[in-house]
Amino acid sequence: MVDGFDEAVAVLSDRRLSNDPAHDGSTDSASAAHLSQRRGISMQECDAPQHNRLRRAVAAALTQRNCTPHLEQMKTRAASRFDALLTHGAGDLVADFILPVVFEVICDLVGVPEADRAQVHVWSDDSTLSDLETRDRKSTRLN
């Protein structure tokens, strides 16, 4: 468990750790083959140098100058999600707070209209799945 800034910096700097699911320590060749067929690459699920390349591609949109006008909306979104966790009394910090807040903030910064965000979320999720998983997800949504 990491509960301090210095520990977080140490963990995030440790090259022995990875965000890439292909480096989860599994020796399952079926899992490795499945991961190699992903349709896209998520910045959340890759390591340097690939992560650095993707980060550079979006860095211009994430400058202080571009983010400042959205700061109050970001705070409101984060507070609302946090309040929902408190009201519910429990939750998954990543799934119920961090990922939704980050998604909404990114949509705000790049100008995705509220009405389009559910579809953008589906596209975002589908972009890192293999074609077989995407087909299965679509058929599940239709049923």
Side-chain angles (χ1 to χ4, degrees):
M1 180 169 165
V2 175
D3 64 0
F5 180 79
D6 291 337
E7 290 172 318
V9 169
V11 167
L12 293 170
S13 308
D14 192 329
R15 295 292 177 215
R16 296 172 298 172
L17 303 175
S18 175
N19 280 335
D20 190 335
H23 301 132
D24 70 357
S26 170
T27 57
D28 182 355
S29 60
S31 294
H34 166 75
L35 288 170
S36 71
Q37 295 175 17
R38 288 184 294 180
R39 295 174 29 186
I41 299 165
S42 168
M43 194 182 314
Q44 297 173 170
E45 295 181 339
C46 66
D47 300 320
Q50 192 171 36
H51 177 85
N52 298 344
R53 181 181 57 79
L54 294 170
R55 195 171 87 198
R56 278 191 302 273
V58 299
L62 302 177
T63 63
Q64 183 175 356
R65 181 176 169 200
N66 288 341
C67 293
T68 299
H70 300 279
L71 190 56
E72 287 308 312
Q73 181 65 20
M74 291 177 198
K75 288 178 183 179
T76 300
R77 288 188 187 286
S80 175
R81 288 284 177 171
F82 191 71
D83 288 346
L85 279 175
L86 290 176
T87 299
H88 189 264
D92 182 310
L93 185 61
V94 173
D96 299 331
F97 180 75
I98 295 171
L99 292 178
V101 169
V102 168
F103 176 78
E104 290 294 328
V105 166
I106 290 169
C107 286
D108 290 342
L109 292 174
V110 299
V112 176
E114 294 278 343
D116 296 338
R117 293 182 183 196
Q119 182 60 56
V120 170
H121 195 271
V122 170
W123 289 335
S124 175
D125 285 350
D126 286 354
S127 72
T128 58
L129 298 174
S130 68
D131 287 331
L132 183 59
E133 282 180 310
T134 304
R135 185 204 67 206
D136 291 345
R137 281 179 53 143
K138 287 179 181 173
S139 66
T140 300
R141 280 190 217 118
L142 296 173
N143 295 331

